[in-house]
Amino acid sequence: MIKPLLSLVLSTLLFPVAANAAVINIEYTGNISFTEGTGFGYNIGDAVGGHVQIDFNKALGFTTPSANIANYYAADDQHDFISGYHTAARGKSVDMVDVYDAAYEQGGAFEDGLSVSDSDSEFLLDEFYNYTSKFYSRYLTVLLPGVDWLDANALLNLNVDITDPAALVASSGQIYNVFATGNGTDYITSADVAQFTFSSLKITASDSPVAVPETNTLWLLMVAFAGLLIGRARNKAPMRD
């Protein structure tokens, strides 16, 4: 019992935590603008719509290439960090969310941007080294040029509701699946793609920000907790002659 608890303690210490956790909901409608392969059965001009939920409480951690950019990611078995595309887990999760606070370069200007990648990947290999590789993904890129709508340090404040397609021309979405089969350098790759433009977009945030102790405080709390667990385990151990 002690080892799993200590593993939990160490994982909490070693992995960064989103300082402003939130659940973000993205609702959109749009129209197909490009297809490749089977195109998932879509034709250009077809109407599409969807709902994506991002639960930052379930992010494994994040990196910060600069003060205004945060790249969030999930563990490869965490399929509900981003939900709304896959109805079931397939392979390994490759979910990522990139937040750009006046840091996404677009047309020579630096804009606010939100990039969402909800993906799974599989790699199957048989005894003859024939492989099958599968990659399922959906991408959403939200850009509203000239509008200061995103704060990388206060994601809970998100509130976007746009029904004018002209204001969404820089935003886009894509469903992109790739399948490859082969052996060594002899392989066949096929792709199914359906890209769409937005006609309406609504983004809201819920939940409450999570207060995260500073590193030193967190360390002391965890060490004290681990010591308490070990002490209790020793007290319960049977007496020996």
Side-chain angles (χ1 to χ4, degrees), residues 90-146:
R90 298 182 293 185
K92 294 184 176 182
S93 170
V94 199
D95 292 352
M96 293 179 289
V97 177
D98 299 330
V99 179
Y100 300 89
D101 185 0
Y104 193 108
E105 188 170 4
Q106 170 79 1
F110 290 93
E111 307 285 354
D112 286 0
L114 185 68
S115 177
V116 181
S117 174
D118 181 8
S119 307
D120 288 344
S121 67
E122 293 181 276
F123 185 83
L124 308 175
L125 189 67
D126 66 18
E127 66 272 25
F128 303 107
Y129 296 98
N130 298 304
Y131 71 85
T132 301
S133 177
K134 302 178 180 180
F135 186 76
Y136 318 89
S137 62
R138 178 182 56 182
Y139 303 104
L140 299 177
T141 301
V142 181
L143 289 171
L144 308 174

Side-chain angles (χ1 to χ4, degrees), residues 9 13 34 78 108 111 130:
V9 169
L13 291 170
F34 172 82
Q78 185 71 63
E111 307 285 354
N130 298 304

Side-chain angles (χ1 to χ4, degrees), residues 16 60-73 96-99:
L60 175 64
F62 62 95
T63 60
T64 52
S66 73
N68 293 345
I69 300 176
N71 308 128
Y72 294 86
Y73 56 90
M96 293 179 289
V97 177
D98 299 330
V99 179

Side-chain angles (χ1 to χ4, degrees), residues 14-214:
L14 294 176
F15 292 113
V17 180
N20 187 13
V23 176
I24 292 178
N25 290 281
I26 303 175
E27 300 175 60
Y28 65 86
T29 61
N31 297 92
I32 298 296
S33 56
F34 172 82
T35 63
E36 182 179 332
T38 65
F40 304 97
Y42 288 114
N43 295 309
I44 293 177
D46 284 353
V48 295
H51 173 214
V52 179
Q53 180 171 273
I54 307 166
D55 188 350
F56 285 95
N57 296 290
K58 296 180 179 178
L60 175 64
F62 62 95
T63 60
T64 52
S66 73
N68 293 345
I69 300 176
N71 308 128
Y72 294 86
Y73 56 90
D76 60 13
D77 62 348
Q78 185 71 63
H79 292 270
D80 55 356
F81 168 43
I82 304 172
S83 57
Y85 175 39
H86 301 310
T87 56
R90 298 182 293 185
K92 294 184 176 182
S93 170
V94 199
D95 292 352
M96 293 179 289
V97 177
D98 299 330
V99 179
Y100 300 89
D101 185 0
Y104 193 108
E105 188 170 4
Q106 170 79 1
F110 290 93
E111 307 285 354
D112 286 0
L114 185 68
S115 177
V116 181
S117 174
D118 181 8
S119 307
D120 288 344
S121 67
E122 293 181 276
F123 185 83
L124 308 175
L125 189 67
D126 66 18
E127 66 272 25
F128 303 107
Y129 296 98
N130 298 304
Y131 71 85
T132 301
S133 177
K134 302 178 180 180
F135 186 76
Y136 318 89
S137 62
R138 178 182 56 182
Y139 303 104
L140 299 177
T141 301
V142 181
L143 289 171
L144 308 174
V147 179
D148 182 9
W149 61 278
L150 187 58
D151 184 347
N153 297 312
L155 297 177
L156 196 62
N157 296 331
L158 276 176
N159 186 15
V160 173
D161 192 355
I162 299 175
T163 57
D164 179 9
L168 298 168
V169 292
S171 301
S172 64
Q174 178 176 265
I175 306 172
Y176 181 83
N177 289 0
V178 178
F179 305 97
T181 58
N183 187 313
T185 57
D186 183 17
Y187 59 90
I188 299 174
T189 302
S190 61
D192 293 328
V193 182
Q195 294 181 354
F196 55 90
T197 56
F198 291 114
S199 55
S200 69
L201 180 67
K202 184 177 182 180
I203 306 177
T204 56
S206 60
D207 203 357
S208 299
V210 175
V212 181
E214 295 181 3

